[in-house]
Every structure is written in C-alpha cells, then in structure tokens.
Amino acid sequence: MKSIIKKTLLISIVSIYAIVMIYISLICISVFGIVLFVEMGDRLIYKHSIRNKEDMIQMLKDNQEEYNRIAQKAEDIFLQSEKGILVLDNRKEYNEAGLYSEIFNDYPIRVLSVDDEENGLIVEFDFTFCPNPYTYWGIYRSPDGEPSTWGQGELEEENGIYTQIGSYFKYETEKIIDNWYYYQCMTS
C-alpha cells in the first residue's frame, strides 16, 4: 500500500513539475514573441530598414531626386496653409496631403514636417527605429545650405559635424549632399 501511495505521489509531483515547466515555457515563448513582434512589426511593413547613420546617408543619396520632389511639394502645401507649421505623421496623412511617394512605403518615416525658421523653410523627415534610446534622428533640407539648430542655441563645428548641447539634449548634424543634412538628437 505504501509503495502505491509513494508511486502515486511521485507521479503527481512529476506531473505538476511538467505542467509548471510547460507553462513557464509558454510564458517565455509568448513574451519573446511579443517582444519580437513589437520590435519587428513595423520593420516588416517597410521594404528597407535604416540601421545607422551610414544607411541614412546612403538612402538619401540613392533617392535624392524623390526627396527633393517631396520637400518641394511639402513647402508648397505649407505656403498655402495658414497654420504656420506643417506636420504629417503617417502614410495616410502624406497621401491625403498629395504627397504620395513610394518613399513612404520603402522607409520608416515617422513624421514629415515643414517649419519656417530664420533662414527659410526647413523640411524635415524624422525616422523611427533609431539605434539609440531617447534619440530622434532623420534628415532635413536647409534652404540656404546652412545647418539648422535644435531649437534655440548655437552650433559648434568640428570636422564637418555640428554640435549643440542643451540642458536635456545633445544635437548633432552633418551635411550629406547639397542642402541636405543628417541629424540626431539624444535626449535625457
């Protein structure tokens, strides 16, 4: 009788252990799947990913004509608007504004904006998936070919890279080609 109870108890313990391990495995797989989906979900939407500064620079060089066309069209929309700033933050808004382009399907552009600054209209393309946390990055077209600041402040130039440091950010910008610049702003 004791051996039957011991065997039953042992089988119960092994069964409970197996069930617990299955649940833990399922939870780990689910968490991994959610993280993978969140991380990769938007990346699967676009034909190309931008992983670093060099990718961003090459992307602009490969598509400069199309970016110039979009920037000019965005400036025209801005000048017809009475809002003082143009901000479009998804493909639907780009299309509704008349800015249809395969660029928006190919690359992870988060926001397209036009702002009237001291030196003229700045057209900016902000991208998602920056390789560093708490960082904004993208490209912009400067009307006069001069680098743009991040809000108020002065830029310091060293080896073609312009830097601005504020109380909560470090901003860097670098000329790519013609009036186009790469930028990243690390915030805290």
Side-chain angles (χ1 to χ4, degrees):
M1 184 76 147
K2 280 185 169 181
S3 68
I4 295 175
I5 293 174
K6 284 183 180 180
K7 284 182 182 178
T8 306
L9 185 58
L10 183 62
I11 291 172
S12 297
I13 291 171
V14 169
S15 297
I16 291 171
Y17 177 78
I19 291 170
V20 168
M21 292 309 292
I22 289 170
Y23 279 122
I24 289 172
S25 297
L26 288 173
I27 290 169
C28 290
I29 289 169
S30 297
V31 168
F32 178 75
I34 289 169
V35 167
L36 184 63
F37 178 75
V38 168
E39 178 66 24
M40 297 302 292
D42 283 341
R43 292 180 195 261
L44 296 174
I45 294 172
Y46 303 103
K47 295 177 184 167
H48 306 285
S49 64
I50 306 295
R51 293 187 180 97
N52 53 46
K53 175 177 154 180
E54 291 75 25
D55 287 351
M56 179 105 36
I57 290 170
Q58 190 60 50
M59 178 261 330
L60 175 65
K61 288 179 177 179
D62 291 345
N63 299 282
Q64 184 181 4
E65 203 172 292
E66 184 64 2
Y67 276 101
N68 279 328
R69 185 192 71 77
I70 295 168
Q72 185 58 54
K73 180 79 171 161
E75 284 180 0
D76 294 344
I77 293 168
F78 173 86
L79 292 171
Q80 295 170 5
S81 172
E82 298 174 5
K83 295 179 184 175
I85 190 169
L86 174 69
V87 178
L88 305 171
D89 65 2
N90 61 53
R91 283 190 265 186
K92 182 180 177 187
E93 287 185 12
Y94 309 143
N95 291 336
E96 287 174 354
L99 293 172
Y100 176 79
S101 174
E102 282 299 314
I103 292 289
F104 298 118
N105 296 325
D106 292 347
Y107 297 100
I109 298 169
R110 184 176 60 89
V111 174
L112 166 64
S113 62
V114 180
D115 195 7
D116 193 2
E117 295 188 4
E118 291 176 9
N119 56 342
L121 297 179
I122 300 288
V123 179
E124 187 174 307
F125 295 82
D126 298 324
F127 286 77
T128 56
F129 313 126
C130 188
N132 302 312
Y134 307 108
T135 302
Y136 300 93
W137 72 329
I139 57 175
Y140 65 91
R141 187 174 81 175
S142 170
D144 61 1
E146 294 298 317
S148 180
T149 62
W150 187 268
Q152 301 296 322
E154 298 292 322
L155 294 171
E156 293 184 24
E157 189 267 336
E158 185 175 320
N159 298 323
I161 297 175
Y162 298 86
T163 305
Q164 177 186 357
I165 298 176
S167 60
Y168 65 93
F169 69 89
K170 179 181 180 187
Y171 171 74
E172 294 179 352
T173 187
E174 179 179 349
K175 190 170 192 162
I176 301 173
I177 192 168
D178 297 335
N179 289 13
W180 287 94
Y181 283 81
Y182 163 82
Y183 80 90
Q184 68 174 352
C185 185
M186 296 143 295
T187 62
S188 57

